[in-house]
Amino acid sequence: MKLNNTTISDIAERANVSKSTVSRVLNDKSIVNQRTRTTVLEAMESLGYEPNIFARSLASGRSMTVGVVTQKIGSPFYDTIMQGVIQGFSGTGYSPLFVDGQWEEGTELQVIQTVLGRKVDGLLLLGGDVSLSDLDQLRKRLPTIVIGKELPGWEGQCVYVDNRAAAYEATKHLIDFGHRDIALVRGIKHHQDAIRRYEGYADALADSGIELDPDLVIEGNFSAQSGILAVSSLLMRGKVFTAIFCANDMVAYGARLALQRSGIRVPEDVSIIGFDDQAESAFVTPPLTTVRQPGHEIGVAAAAGLLSLMRDEPCELPVMKAELQRRESVARI
């Protein structure tokens, strides 16, 4: 690799302008007229100059990085959102710095302090358990967007899916196919998504005149293993069920495996619905009926919202709509 030792003085000499003018162009100051700006940029290109990001951040007071706190790096759904975040910042000059909160409030606070120490210009928080009071303190320090949570007082700074409405639609789909004994495998108990999906499930049963059986509601943690354990629990207790609404697709994969091991066919004997619409869900056997969350679109919208905040512009983030993807894992009674 050949190092380029071009300096601002070299560029100024080539463009026949002052060093201060070159500096203003590098820092994107609007007071430089377009003709001069073009001349300086052409000089930079001809000399093969690549600006030092650290030096630019010292001059401009911006690091040109944003902190992104996710949960469980490697989770297919969260990774989809992060890909959207990457696309949203592409071409803006900002680079996202990703850290993992691992669904532990203490860990989240620790990694947030880490990215704050890097002098990031903004912060995206994906899910997590950071308290509202801590979040309120954070956004006093720097522009902050929360992904996947609905928070009081944060209108316009949250981007999330209406999980309650989506869960209602999924449960109603099972009811419309004649199912009455519908089990639910929940996500992490205190997690807002899990709570809203339970509420949608309960609302759909109530609106259809079906009494909710607490014994058909099994606690889970969004993992495939919790789907296996949930089905095993239902079968060991002799519970009658013809359908399972799972907290996410990972849970559905586990539930499907546990049913297969017990000689129970999907969907002939038991129907299954998941949530998220992971890429693999269309290709499992049978293809999984699930709720599609627009993860990529959520990431893009969150990045756009944070860019607006960092520019002191109005920020309006929409409530995203989830859509039921009807496939072969649900059969009519």
Side-chain angles (χ1 to χ4, degrees):
M1 178 186 294
K2 184 179 180 180
L3 296 178
N4 189 312
N5 296 318
T6 302
T7 66
I8 288 179
S9 295
D10 297 328
I11 299 169
E13 182 178 351
R14 174 66 65 89
N16 195 27
V17 297
S18 67
K19 289 190 291 184
S20 60
T21 297
V22 175
S23 179
R24 285 194 289 271
V25 172
L26 286 172
N27 293 311
D28 198 25
K29 299 296 185 181
S30 59
I31 57 175
V32 181
N33 69 57
Q34 189 56 48
R35 176 178 293 183
T36 302
R37 183 186 301 276
T38 300
T39 301
V40 171
L41 292 175
E42 288 175 349
M44 289 169 55
E45 184 176 359
S46 67
L47 292 170
Y49 178 77
E50 295 182 3
N52 184 299
I53 297 299
F54 180 69
R56 287 184 63 177
S57 70
L58 289 177
S60 66
R62 295 178 296 168
S63 69
M64 300 307 293
T65 58
V66 293
V68 184
V69 181
T70 184
Q71 310 296 328
K72 296 293 184 185
I73 287 176
S75 162
F77 177 63
Y78 289 138
D79 283 358
T80 300
I81 294 177
M82 287 190 285
Q83 289 300 319
V85 169
I86 291 170
Q87 180 179 321
F89 286 115
S90 177
T92 67
Y94 284 94
S95 299
L97 174 64
F98 294 97
V99 291
D100 193 340
Q102 300 191 16
W103 285 119
E104 295 287 343
E105 183 177 0
T107 303
E108 285 181 71
L109 292 173
Q110 181 179 350
V111 297
I112 287 171
Q113 288 300 322
T114 297
V115 295
L116 291 179
R118 299 294 182 94
K119 304 299 182 183
V120 294
D121 299 322
L123 196 60
L124 290 177
L125 299 178
L126 205 175
D129 295 321
V130 177
S131 68
L132 182 58
S133 60
D134 283 334
L135 290 175
D136 287 337
Q137 290 300 314
L138 269 176
R139 69 172 171 178
K140 291 178 181 177
R141 296 183 58 178
L142 78 170
T144 303
I145 295 287
V146 174
I147 304 174
K149 295 176 75 173
E150 180 183 2
L151 299 172
W154 280 68
E155 293 77 11
Q157 286 181 247
C158 297
V159 54
Y160 58 93
V161 162
D162 189 339
N163 281 279
R164 188 169 186 161
Y168 184 100
E169 183 182 5
T171 308
K172 193 68 169 57
H173 179 59
L174 292 171
I175 294 170
D176 291 344
F177 271 50
H179 295 277
R180 293 295 181 271
D181 300 305
I182 303 171
L184 170 69
V185 186
R186 296 185 58 163
I188 299 170
K189 189 171 185 178
H190 63 274
H191 189 278
Q192 190 179 87
D193 289 356
I195 294 170
R196 294 290 183 264
R197 291 171 197 174
Y198 170 79
E199 292 170 346
Y201 162 83
D203 289 347
L205 293 179
D207 288 351
S208 300
I210 302 171
E211 184 176 354
L212 191 155
D213 182 353
D215 289 338
L216 287 179
V217 179
I218 311 297
E219 298 298 334
N221 62 4
F222 292 121
S223 71
Q225 184 65 25
S226 70
I228 294 174
L229 294 174
V231 169
S232 299
S233 172
L234 290 167
L235 295 177
M236 282 191 299
R237 291 184 288 118
K239 294 301 299 180
V240 175
F241 60 97
T242 64
I244 308 175
F245 175 31
C246 299
N248 66 1
D249 287 359
M250 294 299 295
V251 172
Y253 299 158
R256 168 71 180 85
L257 178 60
L259 291 169
Q260 181 184 32
R261 287 173 173 172
S262 299
I264 299 172
R265 300 169 301 168
V266 177
E268 293 87 350
D269 302 321
V270 172
S271 292
I272 295 181
I273 285 185
F275 207 108
D276 285 345
D277 193 23
Q278 293 180 196
E280 301 86 351
S281 294
F283 304 102
V284 296
T285 304
L288 182 66
T289 296
T290 183
V291 176
R292 179 185 180 272
Q293 290 204 74
H296 191 271
E297 294 90 331
I298 288 172
V300 171
L306 189 59
L307 285 168
S308 294
L309 289 180
M310 291 188 296
R311 294 165 179 162
D312 292 323
E313 297 172 354
C315 174
E316 294 184 8
L317 292 171
V319 177
M320 311 296 281
K321 189 179 187 305
E323 296 180 355
L324 185 65
Q325 305 297 303
R326 294 170 173 83
R327 301 192 182 110
E328 291 100 302
S329 68
V330 173
R332 194 174 297 277
I333 289 289

